[in-house]
Amino acid sequence: MSSFYEELEKRGEELGMAREEMALYAAKRQGEFTVEDYRRLPDEVRAELIDGELIYMEAPGYTHQELIMELSVELVNYIRANKGSCRVVQFPLDVQLDCDDRTMARRICV
């Protein structure tokens, strides 16, 4: 996993980020980023915000996606068999795991 800064330097312009926008992210240190910074990232940037650190994520591979599909099917079957009211969604979804403004995780199956 490469650092967010390495990825920003390498791919920022290719992702449609203006130099000024890249400079805003470069001006902050890891640990200082907020949910607002995270939400300003281009959609093409796969990153999570954990305790103020932006962490770049590689795209998931085929095996990962296949396992997520199998897990989703099992969860749906279990919920239906037990007449549960929970729903399973399978797509990238931002999930704020705590009440501060320094953590936002991207989950595939919730």
mmCIF file of all heavy atoms in Angstrom, residues 40-66:
data_model
loop_
_atom_site.group_PDB
_atom_site.id
_atom_site.type_symbol
_atom_site.label_atom_id
_atom_site.label_comp_id
_atom_site.label_asym_id
_atom_site.label_seq_id
_atom_site.Cartn_x
_atom_site.Cartn_y
_atom_site.Cartn_z
ATOM 1 N N ARG A 40 -13.864 16.051 -0.212
ATOM 2 C CA ARG A 40 -13.416 16.866 -1.349
ATOM 3 C C ARG A 40 -12.552 16.078 -2.329
ATOM 4 O O ARG A 40 -12.261 16.559 -3.418
ATOM 5 C CB ARG A 40 -12.644 18.078 -0.851
ATOM 6 C CG ARG A 40 -13.529 19.200 -0.353
ATOM 7 C CD ARG A 40 -12.748 20.489 -0.248
ATOM 8 N NE ARG A 40 -11.570 20.337 0.592
ATOM 9 C CZ ARG A 40 -11.359 20.999 1.725
ATOM 10 N NH1 ARG A 40 -12.223 21.858 2.155
ATOM 11 N NH2 ARG A 40 -10.260 20.793 2.411
ATOM 12 N N LEU A 41 -12.146 14.875 -1.963
ATOM 13 C CA LEU A 41 -11.330 14.074 -2.872
ATOM 14 C C LEU A 41 -12.135 13.703 -4.115
ATOM 15 O O LEU A 41 -13.340 13.464 -4.024
ATOM 16 C CB LEU A 41 -10.879 12.783 -2.188
ATOM 17 C CG LEU A 41 -9.831 12.913 -1.098
ATOM 18 C CD1 LEU A 41 -9.676 11.585 -0.358
ATOM 19 C CD2 LEU A 41 -8.510 13.363 -1.690
ATOM 20 N N PRO A 42 -11.495 13.638 -5.275
ATOM 21 C CA PRO A 42 -12.202 13.182 -6.481
ATOM 22 C C PRO A 42 -12.723 11.759 -6.281
ATOM 23 O O PRO A 42 -12.125 10.974 -5.541
ATOM 24 C CB PRO A 42 -11.118 13.217 -7.564
ATOM 25 C CG PRO A 42 -10.055 14.108 -7.036
ATOM 26 C CD PRO A 42 -10.102 14.001 -5.555
ATOM 27 N N ASP A 43 -13.824 11.426 -6.920
ATOM 28 C CA ASP A 43 -14.423 10.099 -6.784
ATOM 29 C C ASP A 43 -13.457 8.981 -7.158
ATOM 30 O O ASP A 43 -13.558 7.878 -6.629
ATOM 31 C CB ASP A 43 -15.682 9.981 -7.653
ATOM 32 C CG ASP A 43 -16.830 10.806 -7.111
ATOM 33 O OD1 ASP A 43 -16.815 11.132 -5.903
ATOM 34 O OD2 ASP A 43 -17.741 11.118 -7.889
ATOM 35 N N GLU A 44 -12.540 9.264 -8.064
ATOM 36 C CA GLU A 44 -11.609 8.236 -8.526
ATOM 37 C C GLU A 44 -10.555 7.872 -7.489
ATOM 38 O O GLU A 44 -9.872 6.874 -7.617
ATOM 39 C CB GLU A 44 -10.898 8.690 -9.807
ATOM 40 C CG GLU A 44 -11.816 8.902 -10.979
ATOM 41 C CD GLU A 44 -12.505 10.268 -10.925
ATOM 42 O OE1 GLU A 44 -12.059 11.170 -10.180
ATOM 43 O OE2 GLU A 44 -13.512 10.428 -11.625
ATOM 44 N N VAL A 45 -10.392 8.693 -6.460
ATOM 45 C CA VAL A 45 -9.401 8.425 -5.427
ATOM 46 C C VAL A 45 -10.012 7.461 -4.422
ATOM 47 O O VAL A 45 -11.014 7.754 -3.788
ATOM 48 C CB VAL A 45 -8.961 9.724 -4.714
ATOM 49 C CG1 VAL A 45 -8.043 9.414 -3.537
ATOM 50 C CG2 VAL A 45 -8.277 10.654 -5.686
ATOM 51 N N ARG A 46 -9.398 6.284 -4.310
ATOM 52 C CA ARG A 46 -9.850 5.281 -3.341
ATOM 53 C C ARG A 46 -9.042 5.481 -2.077
ATOM 54 O O ARG A 46 -7.858 5.146 -2.028
ATOM 55 C CB ARG A 46 -9.669 3.876 -3.890
ATOM 56 C CG ARG A 46 -10.530 3.592 -5.112
ATOM 57 C CD ARG A 46 -10.331 2.190 -5.614
ATOM 58 N NE ARG A 46 -10.392 1.179 -4.579
ATOM 59 C CZ ARG A 46 -11.523 0.643 -4.086
ATOM 60 N NH1 ARG A 46 -12.680 1.019 -4.549
ATOM 61 N NH2 ARG A 46 -11.472 -0.267 -3.135
ATOM 62 N N ALA A 47 -9.667 6.053 -1.062
ATOM 63 C CA ALA A 47 -8.959 6.333 0.184
ATOM 64 C C ALA A 47 -9.931 6.182 1.346
ATOM 65 O O ALA A 47 -11.151 6.234 1.172
ATOM 66 C CB ALA A 47 -8.380 7.739 0.165
ATOM 67 N N GLU A 48 -9.368 5.974 2.523
ATOM 68 C CA GLU A 48 -10.130 5.994 3.763
ATOM 69 C C GLU A 48 -9.478 7.013 4.686
ATOM 70 O O GLU A 48 -8.287 7.302 4.559
ATOM 71 C CB GLU A 48 -10.134 4.613 4.440
ATOM 72 C CG GLU A 48 -10.979 3.605 3.715
ATOM 73 C CD GLU A 48 -11.167 2.312 4.506
ATOM 74 O OE1 GLU A 48 -10.452 2.083 5.500
ATOM 75 O OE2 GLU A 48 -12.035 1.527 4.105
ATOM 76 N N LEU A 49 -10.260 7.547 5.580
ATOM 77 C CA LEU A 49 -9.770 8.492 6.574
ATOM 78 C C LEU A 49 -9.842 7.794 7.922
ATOM 79 O O LEU A 49 -10.930 7.467 8.399
ATOM 80 C CB LEU A 49 -10.644 9.749 6.564
ATOM 81 C CG LEU A 49 -10.337 10.801 7.617
ATOM 82 C CD1 LEU A 49 -8.969 11.428 7.347
ATOM 83 C CD2 LEU A 49 -11.419 11.866 7.620
ATOM 84 N N ILE A 50 -8.699 7.514 8.512
ATOM 85 C CA ILE A 50 -8.649 6.817 9.794
ATOM 86 C C ILE A 50 -7.872 7.693 10.780
ATOM 87 O O ILE A 50 -6.679 7.939 10.603
ATOM 88 C CB ILE A 50 -7.958 5.431 9.664
ATOM 89 C CG1 ILE A 50 -8.600 4.596 8.560
ATOM 90 C CG2 ILE A 50 -7.958 4.703 11.008
ATOM 91 C CD1 ILE A 50 -10.029 4.185 8.798
ATOM 92 N N ASP A 51 -8.564 8.158 11.795
ATOM 93 C CA ASP A 51 -7.954 9.018 12.825
ATOM 94 C C ASP A 51 -7.150 10.165 12.217
ATOM 95 O O ASP A 51 -6.031 10.447 12.627
ATOM 96 C CB ASP A 51 -7.075 8.191 13.764
ATOM 97 C CG ASP A 51 -7.889 7.208 14.598
ATOM 98 O OD1 ASP A 51 -9.053 7.528 14.920
ATOM 99 O OD2 ASP A 51 -7.374 6.125 14.907
ATOM 100 N N GLY A 52 -7.719 10.816 11.209
ATOM 101 C CA GLY A 52 -7.090 11.978 10.603
ATOM 102 C C GLY A 52 -6.040 11.666 9.552
ATOM 103 O O GLY A 52 -5.423 12.576 9.014
ATOM 104 N N GLU A 53 -5.829 10.390 9.252
ATOM 105 C CA GLU A 53 -4.856 10.001 8.228
ATOM 106 C C GLU A 53 -5.582 9.522 6.984
ATOM 107 O O GLU A 53 -6.443 8.655 7.060
ATOM 108 C CB GLU A 53 -3.941 8.881 8.744
ATOM 109 C CG GLU A 53 -3.018 9.338 9.840
ATOM 110 C CD GLU A 53 -1.971 8.306 10.173
ATOM 111 O OE1 GLU A 53 -1.629 7.476 9.307
ATOM 112 O OE2 GLU A 53 -1.485 8.339 11.314
ATOM 113 N N LEU A 54 -5.229 10.094 5.832
ATOM 114 C CA LEU A 54 -5.772 9.637 4.556
ATOM 115 C C LEU A 54 -4.932 8.464 4.085
ATOM 116 O O LEU A 54 -3.716 8.573 3.951
ATOM 117 C CB LEU A 54 -5.745 10.754 3.513
ATOM 118 C CG LEU A 54 -6.849 11.801 3.660
ATOM 119 C CD1 LEU A 54 -6.589 12.977 2.742
ATOM 120 C CD2 LEU A 54 -8.206 11.199 3.384
ATOM 121 N N ILE A 55 -5.581 7.337 3.880
ATOM 122 C CA ILE A 55 -4.894 6.113 3.484
ATOM 123 C C ILE A 55 -5.382 5.714 2.105
ATOM 124 O O ILE A 55 -6.572 5.449 1.911
ATOM 125 C CB ILE A 55 -5.158 4.991 4.511
ATOM 126 C CG1 ILE A 55 -4.653 5.442 5.880
ATOM 127 C CG2 ILE A 55 -4.498 3.698 4.069
ATOM 128 C CD1 ILE A 55 -5.129 4.599 7.024
ATOM 129 N N TYR A 56 -4.451 5.688 1.155
ATOM 130 C CA TYR A 56 -4.775 5.310 -0.217
ATOM 131 C C TYR A 56 -5.004 3.807 -0.275
ATOM 132 O O TYR A 56 -4.288 3.027 0.341
ATOM 133 C CB TYR A 56 -3.641 5.720 -1.159
ATOM 134 C CG TYR A 56 -3.861 5.266 -2.564
ATOM 135 C CD1 TYR A 56 -4.724 5.958 -3.395
ATOM 136 C CD2 TYR A 56 -3.239 4.135 -3.051
ATOM 137 C CE1 TYR A 56 -4.951 5.528 -4.685
ATOM 138 C CE2 TYR A 56 -3.451 3.708 -4.350
ATOM 139 C CZ TYR A 56 -4.314 4.410 -5.152
ATOM 140 O OH TYR A 56 -4.545 3.972 -6.426
ATOM 141 N N MET A 57 -6.012 3.379 -1.033
ATOM 142 C CA MET A 57 -6.334 1.963 -1.158
ATOM 143 C C MET A 57 -6.268 1.545 -2.618
ATOM 144 O O MET A 57 -6.757 2.245 -3.492
ATOM 145 C CB MET A 57 -7.752 1.701 -0.627
ATOM 146 C CG MET A 57 -7.927 2.057 0.825
ATOM 147 S SD MET A 57 -9.647 2.094 1.361
ATOM 148 C CE MET A 57 -10.384 0.757 0.516
ATOM 149 N N GLU A 58 -5.674 0.401 -2.865
ATOM 150 C CA GLU A 58 -5.666 -0.171 -4.211
ATOM 151 C C GLU A 58 -7.061 -0.708 -4.517
ATOM 152 O O GLU A 58 -7.832 -1.020 -3.617
ATOM 153 C CB GLU A 58 -4.652 -1.319 -4.290
ATOM 154 C CG GLU A 58 -3.215 -0.897 -4.052
ATOM 155 C CD GLU A 58 -2.656 -0.048 -5.177
ATOM 156 O OE1 GLU A 58 -3.134 -0.171 -6.319
ATOM 157 O OE2 GLU A 58 -1.731 0.730 -4.906
ATOM 158 N N ALA A 59 -7.376 -0.853 -5.790
ATOM 159 C CA ALA A 59 -8.659 -1.444 -6.190
ATOM 160 C C ALA A 59 -8.684 -2.916 -5.774
ATOM 161 O O ALA A 59 -7.662 -3.595 -5.831
ATOM 162 C CB ALA A 59 -8.844 -1.322 -7.696
ATOM 163 N N PRO A 60 -9.850 -3.418 -5.348
ATOM 164 C CA PRO A 60 -9.934 -4.829 -4.949
ATOM 165 C C PRO A 60 -9.776 -5.749 -6.152
ATOM 166 O O PRO A 60 -10.155 -5.406 -7.268
ATOM 167 C CB PRO A 60 -11.336 -4.956 -4.346
ATOM 168 C CG PRO A 60 -12.105 -3.826 -4.937
ATOM 169 C CD PRO A 60 -11.122 -2.729 -5.198
ATOM 170 N N GLY A 61 -9.217 -6.924 -5.915
ATOM 171 C CA GLY A 61 -9.023 -7.908 -6.980
ATOM 172 C C GLY A 61 -10.235 -8.812 -7.152
ATOM 173 O O GLY A 61 -11.226 -8.726 -6.415
ATOM 174 N N TYR A 62 -10.146 -9.688 -8.117
ATOM 175 C CA TYR A 62 -11.241 -10.596 -8.445
ATOM 176 C C TYR A 62 -11.615 -11.488 -7.262
ATOM 177 O O TYR A 62 -12.791 -11.647 -6.945
ATOM 178 C CB TYR A 62 -10.850 -11.456 -9.658
ATOM 179 C CG TYR A 62 -11.935 -12.430 -10.049
ATOM 180 C CD1 TYR A 62 -12.988 -12.021 -10.856
ATOM 181 C CD2 TYR A 62 -11.931 -13.743 -9.582
ATOM 182 C CE1 TYR A 62 -14.006 -12.901 -11.200
ATOM 183 C CE2 TYR A 62 -12.937 -14.624 -9.921
ATOM 184 C CZ TYR A 62 -13.969 -14.199 -10.721
ATOM 185 O OH TYR A 62 -14.970 -15.070 -11.049
ATOM 186 N N THR A 63 -10.625 -12.085 -6.606
ATOM 187 C CA THR A 63 -10.905 -12.989 -5.489
ATOM 188 C C THR A 63 -11.619 -12.254 -4.364
ATOM 189 O O THR A 63 -12.580 -12.758 -3.781
ATOM 190 C CB THR A 63 -9.595 -13.619 -4.959
ATOM 191 O OG1 THR A 63 -8.971 -14.320 -6.032
ATOM 192 C CG2 THR A 63 -9.863 -14.560 -3.811
ATOM 193 N N HIS A 64 -11.185 -11.034 -4.082
ATOM 194 C CA HIS A 64 -11.840 -10.230 -3.053
ATOM 195 C C HIS A 64 -13.312 -10.005 -3.393
ATOM 196 O O HIS A 64 -14.199 -10.201 -2.562
ATOM 197 C CB HIS A 64 -11.117 -8.886 -2.924
ATOM 198 C CG HIS A 64 -11.779 -7.936 -1.991
ATOM 199 N ND1 HIS A 64 -12.722 -7.036 -2.414
ATOM 200 C CD2 HIS A 64 -11.646 -7.749 -0.659
ATOM 201 C CE1 HIS A 64 -13.141 -6.326 -1.376
ATOM 202 N NE2 HIS A 64 -12.498 -6.739 -0.302
ATOM 203 N N GLN A 65 -13.572 -9.609 -4.631
ATOM 204 C CA GLN A 65 -14.950 -9.346 -5.046
ATOM 205 C C GLN A 65 -15.801 -10.616 -4.995
ATOM 206 O O GLN A 65 -16.970 -10.575 -4.610
ATOM 207 C CB GLN A 65 -14.973 -8.750 -6.456
ATOM 208 C CG GLN A 65 -14.355 -7.374 -6.557
ATOM 209 C CD GLN A 65 -15.073 -6.368 -5.687
ATOM 210 O OE1 GLN A 65 -14.682 -6.135 -4.534
ATOM 211 N NE2 GLN A 65 -16.107 -5.757 -6.196
ATOM 212 N N GLU A 66 -15.220 -11.738 -5.385
ATOM 213 C CA GLU A 66 -15.940 -13.013 -5.343
ATOM 214 C C GLU A 66 -16.295 -13.380 -3.898
ATOM 215 O O GLU A 66 -17.427 -13.810 -3.614
ATOM 216 C CB GLU A 66 -15.078 -14.095 -5.975
ATOM 217 C CG GLU A 66 -15.788 -15.415 -6.172
ATOM 218 C CD GLU A 66 -14.919 -16.403 -6.942
ATOM 219 O OE1 GLU A 66 -13.691 -16.436 -6.734
ATOM 220 O OE2 GLU A 66 -15.499 -17.120 -7.758
#
